[in-house]
Amino acid sequence: MTKVLAVSDQVVERIYVLASSGHFQDVDLILGCGDLPYTYLEYLITVLNVPLYYVPGNHDPVYHPRVPLARAEGGLNLDLKTDSFNGLLLAGLGGSIRYRPDGVNQYTQPEAFMRAYSLMTRLFCNQIRYGRRVDVLITHSPPFGIHDEDSTAHQGLKALNFLIRVARPRFLFHGHTHFYRNNLEDAVTRIGQTTVMNIFPYKVVELDEGVE
Ligand SMILES: [Zn+2]
């Protein structure tokens, strides 16, 4: 069993108190779904002393491994990458729909498909090596038509619906769209074999080891 603290989009001041009082001490892993200050992610790594995987959101800088402000120190940027942790296969796809010509980490629907195709290459390698493609897909954007909104900036990426169909993750964790009502039905949707969860602003989730 792996206990995950997933965070997204909004700094929750209460997390500082909860974390420093040991509330998350049995958390094994932090997953960041984007649009959070890297100082916040670095604080969580330091206090919980567990690994962090994250993807950038549309309000984050363009990732650069050697620029301190363009990465979360001590975390692993999982955008277009895969990794395994405690028997869980992880993969990431950052960014959102393009809604400003000069915006960073924003992609048109066809551009997002090209990124998903490049991730699929790695997921097919997982299939050969582990007998399955991915357990947890972390993204910033929601899929199209699931937890997304009609506004141009909050439309979901169709490439994620494609990845759900083809890679069949057990979980897709995303951010970007903000639900202020604490309604579980709004934040968790089952589609095929995948449970899609809106992480905003944070969730604690327990995950079984991946099995085929
Ligand atoms: Zn966003």
Side-chain angles (χ1 to χ4, degrees):
M1 185 73 78
T2 300
K3 191 166 184 177
V4 171
L5 169 64
V7 290
S8 162
D9 288 271
Q10 189 180 67
V11 171
V12 177
E13 293 295 337
R14 199 160 56 92
I15 257 187
Y16 290 94
V17 178
L18 291 171
S20 59
S21 64
H23 187 76
F24 301 121
Q25 66 181 3
D26 50 351
V27 162
D28 303 299
L29 179 68
I30 308 164
L31 298 176
C33 293
D35 279 359
L36 283 170
Y38 288 146
T39 49
Y40 180 68
L41 297 178
E42 289 161 358
Y43 170 84
L44 291 174
I45 298 172
T46 306
V47 169
L48 303 184
N49 196 25
V50 296
L52 159 79
Y53 294 91
Y54 69 98
V55 292
N58 53 297
H59 294 297
D60 294 321
V62 175
Y63 173 72
H64 193 293
R66 288 187 298 281
V67 178
L69 294 176
R71 63 182 167 86
E73 177 80 35
L76 197 144
N77 177 8
L78 201 61
D79 191 23
L80 301 183
K81 297 192 187 79
T82 57
D83 206 345
S84 68
F85 175 86
N86 209 11
L88 287 171
L89 302 182
L90 308 172
L93 194 101
S96 75
I97 188 76
R98 175 166 294 288
Y99 59 91
R100 279 177 41 185
D102 58 343
V104 301
N105 300 321
Q106 297 180 14
Y107 307 97
T108 63
Q109 297 286 7
E111 285 169 347
F113 264 99
M114 294 310 292
R115 288 166 49 77
Y117 293 149
S118 76
L119 180 61
M120 275 310 297
T121 312
R122 290 168 184 263
L123 299 180
F124 282 131
C125 291
N126 277 351
Q127 178 74 48
I128 293 164
R129 189 167 169 196
Y130 300 103
R132 64 191 195 282
R133 294 172 186 176
V134 58
D135 297 314
V136 185
L137 177 61
I138 66 168
T139 71
H140 180 58
S141 170
F144 183 79
I146 302 172
H147 308 163
D148 67 345
E149 295 165 16
D150 293 335
S151 68
T152 320
H154 292 104
Q155 187 184 96
L157 292 176
K158 294 176 181 174
L160 296 176
N161 303 65
F162 162 78
L163 283 175
I164 287 171
R165 273 198 311 278
V166 178
R168 299 189 300 275
R170 288 198 288 143
F171 291 90
L172 185 152
F173 291 170
H174 73 83
H176 191 56
T177 44
H178 304 174
F179 290 101
Y180 290 98
R181 284 173 299 156
N182 191 19
N183 182 340
L184 203 63
E185 286 176 5
D186 282 343
V188 181
T189 299
R190 177 92 182 178
I191 172 167
Q193 298 179 30
T194 304
T195 301
V196 180
M197 293 185 70
N198 188 350
I199 294 306
F200 170 84
Y202 78 94
K203 297 255 186 318
V204 177
V205 188
E206 293 193 14
L207 304 173
D208 291 328
E209 191 174 309
V211 286
E212 183 65 13

Short mmCIF file of all heavy atoms in Angstrom, two decimals, residues 146-203:
data_model
loop_
_atom_site.label_atom_id
_atom_site.label_comp_id
_atom_site.label_asym_id
_atom_site.label_seq_id
_atom_site.Cartn_x
_atom_site.Cartn_y
_atom_site.Cartn_z
N ILE A 146 -14.50 15.86 -18.90
CA ILE A 146 -14.51 15.31 -17.53
C ILE A 146 -13.90 16.35 -16.61
O ILE A 146 -12.72 16.69 -16.73
CB ILE A 146 -13.70 14.00 -17.45
CG1 ILE A 146 -14.27 12.97 -18.42
CG2 ILE A 146 -13.70 13.46 -16.01
CD1 ILE A 146 -13.42 11.72 -18.56
N HIS A 147 -14.67 16.88 -15.70
CA HIS A 147 -14.22 17.90 -14.74
C HIS A 147 -13.71 19.15 -15.44
O HIS A 147 -13.00 19.94 -14.81
CB HIS A 147 -13.10 17.37 -13.81
CG HIS A 147 -13.42 16.09 -13.13
ND1 HIS A 147 -12.46 15.29 -12.53
CD2 HIS A 147 -14.60 15.44 -12.94
CE1 HIS A 147 -13.03 14.23 -12.01
NE2 HIS A 147 -14.32 14.28 -12.25
N ASP A 148 -13.97 19.32 -16.73
CA ASP A 148 -13.48 20.53 -17.40
C ASP A 148 -14.62 21.54 -17.50
O ASP A 148 -15.71 21.32 -16.98
CB ASP A 148 -12.85 20.22 -18.77
CG ASP A 148 -13.85 19.72 -19.79
OD1 ASP A 148 -14.97 19.35 -19.38
OD2 ASP A 148 -13.53 19.70 -20.99
N GLU A 149 -14.34 22.65 -18.13
CA GLU A 149 -15.33 23.72 -18.22
C GLU A 149 -15.40 24.21 -19.66
O GLU A 149 -14.50 23.96 -20.46
CB GLU A 149 -14.95 24.87 -17.27
CG GLU A 149 -14.99 24.46 -15.80
CD GLU A 149 -14.28 25.45 -14.88
OE1 GLU A 149 -14.01 26.59 -15.29
OE2 GLU A 149 -13.99 25.04 -13.74
N ASP A 150 -16.46 24.93 -19.97
CA ASP A 150 -16.62 25.42 -21.33
C ASP A 150 -15.67 26.56 -21.68
O ASP A 150 -15.36 26.77 -22.84
CB ASP A 150 -18.07 25.90 -21.55
CG ASP A 150 -19.04 24.73 -21.49
OD1 ASP A 150 -18.59 23.60 -21.77
OD2 ASP A 150 -20.22 24.94 -21.16
N SER A 151 -15.21 27.29 -20.65
CA SER A 151 -14.35 28.44 -20.94
C SER A 151 -13.08 27.96 -21.65
O SER A 151 -12.59 26.86 -21.40
CB SER A 151 -13.97 29.16 -19.65
OG SER A 151 -13.13 28.35 -18.86
N THR A 152 -12.57 28.81 -22.54
CA THR A 152 -11.42 28.43 -23.37
C THR A 152 -10.25 27.94 -22.52
O THR A 152 -9.58 26.97 -22.86
CB THR A 152 -10.95 29.65 -24.19
OG1 THR A 152 -12.12 30.34 -24.64
CG2 THR A 152 -10.11 29.22 -25.36
N ALA A 153 -10.01 28.62 -21.39
CA ALA A 153 -8.83 28.29 -20.59
C ALA A 153 -8.98 26.98 -19.82
O ALA A 153 -7.99 26.40 -19.39
CB ALA A 153 -8.54 29.42 -19.60
N HIS A 154 -10.21 26.52 -19.63
CA HIS A 154 -10.42 25.34 -18.78
C HIS A 154 -11.00 24.15 -19.53
O HIS A 154 -11.52 23.21 -18.92
CB HIS A 154 -11.28 25.72 -17.57
CG HIS A 154 -10.55 26.63 -16.64
ND1 HIS A 154 -10.81 27.98 -16.56
CD2 HIS A 154 -9.53 26.41 -15.77
CE1 HIS A 154 -10.00 28.53 -15.68
NE2 HIS A 154 -9.21 27.60 -15.19
N GLN A 155 -10.91 24.21 -20.86
CA GLN A 155 -11.32 23.05 -21.65
C GLN A 155 -10.29 21.94 -21.45
O GLN A 155 -9.09 22.20 -21.43
CB GLN A 155 -11.35 23.47 -23.13
CG GLN A 155 -11.92 22.43 -24.06
CD GLN A 155 -11.81 22.88 -25.51
OE1 GLN A 155 -10.88 22.51 -26.20
NE2 GLN A 155 -12.76 23.68 -25.94
N GLY A 156 -10.75 20.70 -21.29
CA GLY A 156 -9.84 19.58 -21.08
C GLY A 156 -9.12 19.18 -22.35
O GLY A 156 -9.50 19.56 -23.47
N LEU A 157 -8.05 18.37 -22.18
CA LEU A 157 -7.26 17.91 -23.33
C LEU A 157 -7.80 16.57 -23.83
O LEU A 157 -7.89 15.60 -23.07
CB LEU A 157 -5.79 17.76 -22.93
CG LEU A 157 -5.04 19.07 -22.62
CD1 LEU A 157 -3.63 18.75 -22.14
CD2 LEU A 157 -5.00 19.99 -23.84
N LYS A 158 -8.11 16.51 -25.13
CA LYS A 158 -8.60 15.27 -25.73
C LYS A 158 -7.52 14.19 -25.73
O LYS A 158 -7.81 13.00 -25.73
CB LYS A 158 -9.10 15.55 -27.15
CG LYS A 158 -10.32 16.46 -27.16
CD LYS A 158 -10.77 16.81 -28.56
CE LYS A 158 -11.97 17.76 -28.48
NZ LYS A 158 -12.40 18.26 -29.80
N ALA A 159 -6.26 14.62 -25.72
CA ALA A 159 -5.16 13.66 -25.68
C ALA A 159 -5.22 12.80 -24.41
O ALA A 159 -4.76 11.66 -24.41
CB ALA A 159 -3.82 14.39 -25.76
N LEU A 160 -5.80 13.35 -23.35
CA LEU A 160 -5.89 12.57 -22.11
C LEU A 160 -6.99 11.51 -22.22
O LEU A 160 -6.84 10.41 -21.67
CB LEU A 160 -6.14 13.50 -20.92
CG LEU A 160 -4.99 14.48 -20.64
CD1 LEU A 160 -5.35 15.42 -19.51
CD2 LEU A 160 -3.71 13.72 -20.31
N ASN A 161 -8.06 11.81 -22.94
CA ASN A 161 -9.08 10.78 -23.19
C ASN A 161 -8.46 9.64 -23.99
O ASN A 161 -8.73 8.46 -23.76
CB ASN A 161 -10.26 11.37 -23.96
CG ASN A 161 -10.89 12.56 -23.24
OD1 ASN A 161 -10.24 13.59 -23.08
ND2 ASN A 161 -12.13 12.43 -22.81
N PHE A 162 -7.59 10.02 -24.95
CA PHE A 162 -6.86 9.01 -25.75
C PHE A 162 -5.99 8.14 -24.84
O PHE A 162 -6.01 6.91 -24.93
CB PHE A 162 -6.03 9.73 -26.82
CG PHE A 162 -4.94 8.90 -27.42
CD1 PHE A 162 -5.24 7.95 -28.39
CD2 PHE A 162 -3.61 9.07 -27.05
CE1 PHE A 162 -4.23 7.17 -28.95
CE2 PHE A 162 -2.60 8.30 -27.61
CZ PHE A 162 -2.92 7.36 -28.56
N LEU A 163 -5.24 8.79 -23.92
CA LEU A 163 -4.36 8.01 -23.03
C LEU A 163 -5.16 7.10 -22.11
O LEU A 163 -4.74 5.98 -21.82
CB LEU A 163 -3.48 8.96 -22.21
CG LEU A 163 -2.30 9.58 -22.95
CD1 LEU A 163 -1.58 10.59 -22.07
CD2 LEU A 163 -1.31 8.51 -23.42
N ILE A 164 -6.33 7.57 -21.67
CA ILE A 164 -7.18 6.72 -20.82
C ILE A 164 -7.59 5.47 -21.61
O ILE A 164 -7.55 4.35 -21.09
CB ILE A 164 -8.43 7.50 -20.34
CG1 ILE A 164 -8.03 8.53 -19.27
CG2 ILE A 164 -9.50 6.56 -19.80
CD1 ILE A 164 -9.13 9.49 -18.88
N ARG A 165 -7.96 5.67 -22.88
CA ARG A 165 -8.40 4.53 -23.71
C ARG A 165 -7.25 3.56 -24.00
O ARG A 165 -7.40 2.35 -23.92
CB ARG A 165 -8.96 5.03 -25.04
CG ARG A 165 -10.43 5.38 -25.03
CD ARG A 165 -10.99 5.43 -26.45
NE ARG A 165 -10.20 6.21 -27.37
CZ ARG A 165 -10.25 7.54 -27.48
NH1 ARG A 165 -11.05 8.24 -26.71
NH2 ARG A 165 -9.51 8.19 -28.36
N VAL A 166 -6.10 4.13 -24.33
CA VAL A 166 -5.01 3.29 -24.85
C VAL A 166 -4.09 2.78 -23.72
O VAL A 166 -3.64 1.63 -23.77
CB VAL A 166 -4.18 4.08 -25.89
CG1 VAL A 166 -3.01 3.25 -26.40
CG2 VAL A 166 -5.08 4.47 -27.06
N ALA A 167 -3.83 3.62 -22.72
CA ALA A 167 -2.88 3.20 -21.68
C ALA A 167 -3.58 2.61 -20.46
O ALA A 167 -2.95 1.96 -19.65
CB ALA A 167 -2.02 4.39 -21.25
N ARG A 168 -4.89 2.86 -20.33
CA ARG A 168 -5.71 2.32 -19.26
C ARG A 168 -5.08 2.48 -17.87
O ARG A 168 -4.87 1.50 -17.14
CB ARG A 168 -6.00 0.83 -19.52
CG ARG A 168 -6.76 0.58 -20.82
CD ARG A 168 -7.23 -0.84 -20.94
NE ARG A 168 -6.13 -1.81 -20.93
CZ ARG A 168 -5.43 -2.16 -22.00
NH1 ARG A 168 -5.73 -1.65 -23.19
NH2 ARG A 168 -4.46 -3.04 -21.91
N PRO A 169 -4.77 3.73 -17.49
CA PRO A 169 -4.26 3.93 -16.11
C PRO A 169 -5.34 3.58 -15.10
O PRO A 169 -6.53 3.69 -15.39
CB PRO A 169 -3.95 5.44 -16.07
CG PRO A 169 -4.78 6.05 -17.13
CD PRO A 169 -4.96 5.00 -18.20
N ARG A 170 -4.92 3.13 -13.92
CA ARG A 170 -5.91 2.90 -12.87
C ARG A 170 -6.41 4.23 -12.31
O ARG A 170 -7.56 4.35 -11.93
CB ARG A 170 -5.29 2.05 -11.74
CG ARG A 170 -5.09 0.60 -12.16
CD ARG A 170 -4.91 -0.26 -10.93
NE ARG A 170 -3.61 -0.03 -10.31
CZ ARG A 170 -3.42 -0.02 -8.99
NH1 ARG A 170 -4.40 -0.22 -8.17
NH2 ARG A 170 -2.20 0.17 -8.51
N PHE A 171 -5.49 5.22 -12.27
CA PHE A 171 -5.87 6.54 -11.77
C PHE A 171 -5.32 7.62 -12.68
O PHE A 171 -4.22 7.48 -13.23
CB PHE A 171 -5.30 6.78 -10.36
CG PHE A 171 -5.93 5.92 -9.30
CD1 PHE A 171 -5.40 4.67 -9.00
CD2 PHE A 171 -7.06 6.35 -8.63
CE1 PHE A 171 -5.98 3.86 -8.05
CE2 PHE A 171 -7.65 5.54 -7.66
CZ PHE A 171 -7.12 4.30 -7.38
N LEU A 172 -6.09 8.67 -12.87
CA LEU A 172 -5.59 9.90 -13.47
C LEU A 172 -5.84 11.02 -12.46
O LEU A 172 -6.98 11.26 -12.08
CB LEU A 172 -6.29 10.20 -14.80
CG LEU A 172 -5.73 11.41 -15.58
CD1 LEU A 172 -5.96 11.25 -17.08
CD2 LEU A 172 -6.32 12.74 -15.13
N PHE A 173 -4.76 11.63 -11.99
CA PHE A 173 -4.85 12.75 -11.05
C PHE A 173 -4.61 14.03 -11.84
O PHE A 173 -3.60 14.16 -12.52
CB PHE A 173 -3.77 12.64 -9.96
CG PHE A 173 -3.96 11.52 -8.99
CD1 PHE A 173 -2.95 11.21 -8.09
CD2 PHE A 173 -5.14 10.78 -8.93
CE1 PHE A 173 -3.09 10.19 -7.16
CE2 PHE A 173 -5.30 9.75 -8.02
CZ PHE A 173 -4.27 9.45 -7.13
N HIS A 174 -5.51 14.99 -11.73
CA HIS A 174 -5.32 16.25 -12.45
C HIS A 174 -5.64 17.43 -11.56
O HIS A 174 -6.22 17.29 -10.47
CB HIS A 174 -6.20 16.28 -13.71
CG HIS A 174 -7.66 16.47 -13.40
ND1 HIS A 174 -8.21 17.71 -13.19
CD2 HIS A 174 -8.68 15.59 -13.23
CE1 HIS A 174 -9.51 17.58 -12.93
NE2 HIS A 174 -9.82 16.30 -12.94
N GLY A 175 -5.29 18.62 -12.05
CA GLY A 175 -5.65 19.88 -11.38
C GLY A 175 -6.33 20.78 -12.39
O GLY A 175 -7.15 20.34 -13.18
N HIS A 176 -5.97 22.06 -12.35
CA HIS A 176 -6.35 23.07 -13.33
C HIS A 176 -7.78 23.59 -13.19
O HIS A 176 -8.01 24.78 -13.29
CB HIS A 176 -6.13 22.56 -14.77
CG HIS A 176 -6.24 23.61 -15.81
ND1 HIS A 176 -5.49 24.77 -15.79
CD2 HIS A 176 -7.03 23.70 -16.91
CE1 HIS A 176 -5.80 25.51 -16.84
NE2 HIS A 176 -6.73 24.90 -17.53
N THR A 177 -8.74 22.70 -12.97
CA THR A 177 -10.11 23.19 -12.78
C THR A 177 -10.44 23.14 -11.29
O THR A 177 -10.05 22.21 -10.59
CB THR A 177 -11.12 22.35 -13.59
OG1 THR A 177 -10.80 20.98 -13.44
CG2 THR A 177 -11.07 22.72 -15.05
N HIS A 178 -11.11 24.15 -10.86
CA HIS A 178 -11.26 24.37 -9.42
C HIS A 178 -12.69 24.13 -8.98
O HIS A 178 -13.60 24.83 -9.41
CB HIS A 178 -10.88 25.81 -9.06
CG HIS A 178 -9.50 26.17 -9.51
ND1 HIS A 178 -9.00 27.43 -9.39
CD2 HIS A 178 -8.52 25.43 -10.09
CE1 HIS A 178 -7.77 27.46 -9.87
NE2 HIS A 178 -7.46 26.25 -10.30
N PHE A 179 -12.85 23.14 -8.17
CA PHE A 179 -14.18 22.90 -7.60
C PHE A 179 -14.20 23.41 -6.18
O PHE A 179 -13.46 22.94 -5.35
CB PHE A 179 -14.51 21.39 -7.61
CG PHE A 179 -14.74 20.85 -8.96
CD1 PHE A 179 -13.75 20.13 -9.61
CD2 PHE A 179 -15.94 21.06 -9.63
CE1 PHE A 179 -13.95 19.62 -10.86
CE2 PHE A 179 -16.15 20.55 -10.89
CZ PHE A 179 -15.16 19.82 -11.52
N TYR A 180 -15.05 24.35 -5.91
CA TYR A 180 -15.11 24.89 -4.56
C TYR A 180 -16.15 24.16 -3.72
O TYR A 180 -16.11 24.17 -2.51
CB TYR A 180 -15.39 26.39 -4.58
CG TYR A 180 -14.22 27.14 -5.11
CD1 TYR A 180 -14.16 27.54 -6.44
CD2 TYR A 180 -13.12 27.39 -4.29
CE1 TYR A 180 -13.04 28.20 -6.92
CE2 TYR A 180 -12.01 28.04 -4.77
CZ TYR A 180 -11.98 28.45 -6.09
OH TYR A 180 -10.87 29.09 -6.58
N ARG A 181 -17.09 23.51 -4.39
CA ARG A 181 -18.04 22.69 -3.64
C ARG A 181 -17.35 21.39 -3.27
O ARG A 181 -16.68 20.78 -4.09
CB ARG A 181 -19.27 22.37 -4.50
CG ARG A 181 -20.22 23.52 -4.64
CD ARG A 181 -21.29 23.15 -5.62
NE ARG A 181 -20.74 22.86 -6.94
CZ ARG A 181 -21.35 22.10 -7.84
NH1 ARG A 181 -22.48 21.55 -7.59
NH2 ARG A 181 -20.79 21.90 -9.02
N ASN A 182 -17.53 20.99 -2.03
CA ASN A 182 -16.86 19.76 -1.59
C ASN A 182 -17.75 18.57 -1.93
O ASN A 182 -18.22 17.85 -1.07
CB ASN A 182 -16.58 19.85 -0.08
CG ASN A 182 -15.67 18.73 0.37
OD1 ASN A 182 -14.99 18.12 -0.45
ND2 ASN A 182 -15.67 18.45 1.65
N ASN A 183 -17.95 18.36 -3.21
CA ASN A 183 -18.86 17.31 -3.67
C ASN A 183 -18.03 16.22 -4.37
O ASN A 183 -17.46 16.45 -5.43
CB ASN A 183 -19.88 17.92 -4.64
CG ASN A 183 -20.88 16.88 -5.11
OD1 ASN A 183 -20.62 15.68 -5.04
ND2 ASN A 183 -22.01 17.34 -5.60
N LEU A 184 -17.99 15.06 -3.73
CA LEU A 184 -17.15 13.98 -4.23
C LEU A 184 -17.51 13.60 -5.67
O LEU A 184 -16.66 13.27 -6.47
CB LEU A 184 -17.28 12.77 -3.31
CG LEU A 184 -16.11 11.79 -3.32
CD1 LEU A 184 -14.85 12.46 -2.83
CD2 LEU A 184 -16.42 10.58 -2.45
N GLU A 185 -18.80 13.66 -5.96
CA GLU A 185 -19.23 13.27 -7.32
C GLU A 185 -18.64 14.17 -8.39
O GLU A 185 -18.44 13.77 -9.51
CB GLU A 185 -20.75 13.29 -7.41
CG GLU A 185 -21.39 12.12 -6.69
CD GLU A 185 -22.90 12.20 -6.70
OE1 GLU A 185 -23.44 13.11 -7.34
OE2 GLU A 185 -23.51 11.35 -6.05
N ASP A 186 -18.40 15.43 -8.00
CA ASP A 186 -17.81 16.36 -8.96
C ASP A 186 -16.32 16.13 -9.14
O ASP A 186 -15.76 16.48 -10.16
CB ASP A 186 -18.02 17.81 -8.50
CG ASP A 186 -19.43 18.27 -8.78
OD1 ASP A 186 -20.11 17.61 -9.59
OD2 ASP A 186 -19.83 19.27 -8.20
N ALA A 187 -15.68 15.58 -8.14
CA ALA A 187 -14.22 15.52 -8.15
C ALA A 187 -13.69 14.16 -8.58
O ALA A 187 -12.52 14.04 -8.90
CB ALA A 187 -13.67 15.88 -6.78
N VAL A 188 -14.51 13.12 -8.58
CA VAL A 188 -14.06 11.76 -8.93
C VAL A 188 -15.01 11.18 -9.97
O VAL A 188 -16.22 11.12 -9.76
CB VAL A 188 -14.05 10.86 -7.67
CG1 VAL A 188 -13.57 9.46 -8.03
CG2 VAL A 188 -13.19 11.46 -6.57
N THR A 189 -14.45 10.76 -11.08
CA THR A 189 -15.27 10.18 -12.15
C THR A 189 -14.60 8.91 -12.64
O THR A 189 -13.39 8.88 -12.89
CB THR A 189 -15.40 11.17 -13.34
OG1 THR A 189 -16.04 12.34 -12.88
CG2 THR A 189 -16.22 10.56 -14.46
N ARG A 190 -15.39 7.88 -12.75
CA ARG A 190 -14.87 6.60 -13.26
C ARG A 190 -15.13 6.54 -14.76
O ARG A 190 -16.26 6.74 -15.21
CB ARG A 190 -15.61 5.48 -12.53
CG ARG A 190 -15.24 4.11 -12.98
CD ARG A 190 -14.11 3.54 -12.14
NE ARG A 190 -13.78 2.23 -12.66
CZ ARG A 190 -12.81 1.48 -12.18
NH1 ARG A 190 -12.08 1.91 -11.19
NH2 ARG A 190 -12.56 0.29 -12.68
N ILE A 191 -14.10 6.27 -15.54
CA ILE A 191 -14.29 6.12 -16.99
C ILE A 191 -13.46 4.92 -17.45
O ILE A 191 -12.24 4.90 -17.25
CB ILE A 191 -13.95 7.41 -17.77
CG1 ILE A 191 -13.97 7.15 -19.26
CG2 ILE A 191 -12.65 8.05 -17.34
CD1 ILE A 191 -13.95 8.40 -20.10
N GLY A 192 -14.15 3.90 -17.95
CA GLY A 192 -13.45 2.65 -18.29
C GLY A 192 -12.81 2.09 -17.04
O GLY A 192 -13.46 1.94 -16.01
N GLN A 193 -11.50 1.79 -17.14
CA GLN A 193 -10.80 1.23 -15.98
C GLN A 193 -10.15 2.32 -15.13
O GLN A 193 -9.39 2.02 -14.22
CB GLN A 193 -9.70 0.28 -16.46
CG GLN A 193 -10.23 -0.91 -17.23
CD GLN A 193 -9.10 -1.80 -17.71
OE1 GLN A 193 -8.06 -1.91 -17.09
NE2 GLN A 193 -9.31 -2.46 -18.83
N THR A 194 -10.43 3.57 -15.46
CA THR A 194 -9.68 4.67 -14.85
C THR A 194 -10.55 5.49 -13.91
O THR A 194 -11.68 5.86 -14.26
CB THR A 194 -9.13 5.59 -15.96
OG1 THR A 194 -8.35 4.82 -16.87
CG2 THR A 194 -8.27 6.70 -15.37
N THR A 195 -10.02 5.76 -12.72
CA THR A 195 -10.66 6.69 -11.80
C THR A 195 -9.98 8.05 -11.98
O THR A 195 -8.79 8.19 -11.72
CB THR A 195 -10.50 6.21 -10.34
OG1 THR A 195 -11.11 4.92 -10.23
CG2 THR A 195 -11.17 7.17 -9.38
N VAL A 196 -10.75 9.02 -12.47
CA VAL A 196 -10.22 10.37 -12.70
C VAL A 196 -10.52 11.21 -11.47
O VAL A 196 -11.68 11.33 -11.07
CB VAL A 196 -10.88 11.00 -13.95
CG1 VAL A 196 -10.33 12.40 -14.18
CG2 VAL A 196 -10.66 10.12 -15.18
N MET A 197 -9.48 11.77 -10.86
CA MET A 197 -9.66 12.57 -9.64
C MET A 197 -9.14 13.98 -9.82
O MET A 197 -8.00 14.17 -10.24
CB MET A 197 -8.90 11.93 -8.46
CG MET A 197 -9.45 10.59 -8.02
SD MET A 197 -8.60 9.96 -6.55
CE MET A 197 -9.19 11.09 -5.32
N ASN A 198 -10.00 14.94 -9.50
CA ASN A 198 -9.54 16.32 -9.43
C ASN A 198 -8.88 16.52 -8.07
O ASN A 198 -9.52 16.36 -7.03
CB ASN A 198 -10.71 17.28 -9.61
CG ASN A 198 -10.23 18.72 -9.74
OD1 ASN A 198 -9.07 19.03 -9.52
ND2 ASN A 198 -11.14 19.60 -10.13
N ILE A 199 -7.61 16.85 -8.08
CA ILE A 199 -6.83 16.91 -6.84
C ILE A 199 -7.00 18.23 -6.11
O ILE A 199 -6.80 18.30 -4.90
CB ILE A 199 -5.33 16.66 -7.18
CG1 ILE A 199 -5.14 15.23 -7.70
CG2 ILE A 199 -4.43 16.95 -6.01
CD1 ILE A 199 -5.67 14.14 -6.78
N PHE A 200 -7.38 19.27 -6.82
CA PHE A 200 -7.51 20.61 -6.23
C PHE A 200 -8.24 20.60 -4.90
O PHE A 200 -9.36 20.06 -4.84
CB PHE A 200 -8.25 21.54 -7.20
CG PHE A 200 -8.63 22.85 -6.59
CD1 PHE A 200 -7.72 23.88 -6.55
CD2 PHE A 200 -9.89 23.04 -6.03
CE1 PHE A 200 -8.07 25.10 -5.98
CE2 PHE A 200 -10.24 24.25 -5.45
CZ PHE A 200 -9.32 25.28 -5.43
N PRO A 201 -7.74 21.18 -3.84
CA PRO A 201 -6.36 21.67 -3.74
C PRO A 201 -5.40 20.59 -3.19
O PRO A 201 -4.21 20.68 -3.41
CB PRO A 201 -6.47 22.83 -2.76
CG PRO A 201 -7.60 22.40 -1.84
CD PRO A 201 -8.53 21.54 -2.67
N TYR A 202 -5.94 19.55 -2.50
CA TYR A 202 -5.09 18.40 -2.14
C TYR A 202 -5.97 17.21 -1.80
O TYR A 202 -7.14 17.35 -1.44
CB TYR A 202 -4.14 18.73 -0.97
CG TYR A 202 -4.76 18.73 0.40
CD1 TYR A 202 -4.73 17.60 1.20
CD2 TYR A 202 -5.38 19.87 0.91
CE1 TYR A 202 -5.31 17.60 2.46
CE2 TYR A 202 -5.94 19.88 2.17
CZ TYR A 202 -5.91 18.74 2.95
OH TYR A 202 -6.47 18.74 4.20
N LYS A 203 -5.40 16.03 -1.98
CA LYS A 203 -6.10 14.80 -1.60
C LYS A 203 -5.07 13.82 -1.03
O LYS A 203 -3.92 13.80 -1.47
CB LYS A 203 -6.74 14.12 -2.83
CG LYS A 203 -7.81 14.91 -3.55
CD LYS A 203 -9.19 14.36 -3.23
CE LYS A 203 -10.28 15.04 -4.03
NZ LYS A 203 -10.18 16.49 -4.19
#
